[in-house]
Amino acid sequence: MTNKHPPSIIAIDGPAASGKSTLGLKLAKALDYLFFDTGVMYRAVTWIALDHDIDVHDEAKVTALAEATPIDVAPASKSDGRVCDVLVAGKDITWETRLPIVDANVSVVSAHPGVRAALSKQQRRIGQRGKVVMVGRDIGTVILPEADLKIYLDATAAERAKRRFNEMIARGANVNYEDVLAKVLERDRIDSTRHVAPLKTAADAVVINSNDLDAEQVFEKVFALCK
Ligand code: DC
């Protein structure tokens, strides 16, 4: 990491539901940078595979899909709670990428080395332009190791499951906390044990545990590092 202020390339990594997107979006707005949540690309490929009845475990087929599908991530065009638009061949699939069936399958899809190679290239190209807040699992370690500021945002699985559960209840879903916790733990396991680009803390990342901090407090901490 260099000591540029404000940092031009900001990488935010961490496990599912640690608050990365909320932090990234606030930071990008405050700095007038591009916000790019790379998880939506893995979600888009997962949704398209499911929609085409492709077995998500079939690496060759899912990789071919990732290579052939132009995925666009654009600033939110509607104020319906979305943080960005996800477009595939001009079709808006933003809310499809948030379906529980996508949550349940995206870790398998994102563990395929071929899928990662296809999407990483695109992520790196966008990130290297600078003035960007990029969010994911491997941004500081693999995609943009040259990032000027790296944040690893963490929280216990119980706390992350509680937040996810509250969000789902607020959206009117009929869910049970134990199930949400089991899913968070399963995604943690797959994301951190895969062979290619597993979730881990970059040696030069600033680690923030958000268990006892609200979104505003996390933002203030990171914003202070940008000044
Ligand atoms: O952050 P999210 O929940 O939208 O991420 C969806 C999945 O994509 C998650 O299982 C991890 C994976 N992912 C990844 O492997 N690398 C990234 N840079 C971003 C997400």
Side-chain angles (χ1 to χ4, degrees):
M1 272 198 303
T2 60
N3 285 325
K4 252 198 272 170
H5 282 281
S8 179
I9 300 179
I10 302 176
I12 304 177
D13 293 300
S18 58
K20 302 182 299 291
S21 298
T22 306
L23 168 64
L25 197 61
K26 267 172 167 298
L27 208 54
K29 275 197 182 139
L31 296 166
D32 198 20
Y33 281 12
L34 173 74
F35 170 66
F36 183 19
D37 179 357
T38 56
V40 302
M41 297 187 89
Y42 293 98
R43 287 174 176 276
V45 173
T46 305
W47 168 248
I48 303 160
L50 294 168
D51 196 41
H52 285 62
D53 276 332
I54 291 173
D55 176 2
V56 294
H57 294 92
D58 186 333
E59 178 172 359
K61 281 198 182 151
V62 183
T63 298
L65 200 62
E67 285 169 348
T69 312
I71 303 165
D72 251 340
V73 182
S77 63
K78 291 183 194 159
S79 9
D80 59 358
R82 64 182 63 198
V83 292
C84 61
D85 282 6
V86 186
L87 306 162
V88 167
K91 190 173 168 226
D92 185 336
I93 61 156
T94 308
W95 288 116
E96 282 83 346
T97 65
R98 295 284 149 194
L99 290 172
I101 184 136
V102 172
D103 280 338
N105 288 282
V106 67
S107 283
V108 171
V109 167
S110 60
H112 293 319
V115 172
R116 301 203 71 83
L119 300 186
S120 299
K121 236 189 277 167
Q122 217 170 319
Q123 294 166 8
R124 202 169 152 66
R125 186 172 43 74
I126 295 170
Q128 281 177 324
R129 293 183 200 144
K131 291 204 164 198
V132 66
V133 179
M134 206 174 233
V135 170
R137 301 291 191 289
D138 59 344
I139 309 303
T141 50
V142 175
I143 305 294
L144 296 165
E146 72 272 43
D148 305 302
L149 175 64
K150 299 180 187 179
I151 304 293
Y152 187 90
L153 190 57
D154 210 353
T156 58
E159 176 62 27
R160 289 181 285 120
K162 192 175 93 190
R163 293 179 195 163
R164 192 46 63 90
F165 172 75
N166 289 338
E167 275 168 25
M168 293 167 113
I169 293 289
R171 266 192 257 136
N174 180 14
V175 283
N176 150 316
Y177 170 78
E178 295 305 324
D179 284 350
V180 177
L181 176 61
K183 284 182 183 133
V184 164
L185 288 169
E186 177 61 2
R187 280 181 60 194
D188 283 359
R189 188 188 66 74
I190 303 180
D191 292 345
S192 53
T193 57
R194 67 182 176 225
H195 293 297
V196 182
L199 171 66
K200 62 174 184 198
T201 315
D204 50 356
V206 177
V207 179
I208 297 181
N209 186 306
S210 72
N211 260 29
D212 300 316
L213 302 173
D214 64 23
E216 188 57 29
Q217 290 169 315
V218 173
F219 167 74
E220 289 301 338
K221 256 183 190 280
V222 178
F223 195 52
L225 296 172
C226 297
K227 289 194 220 157

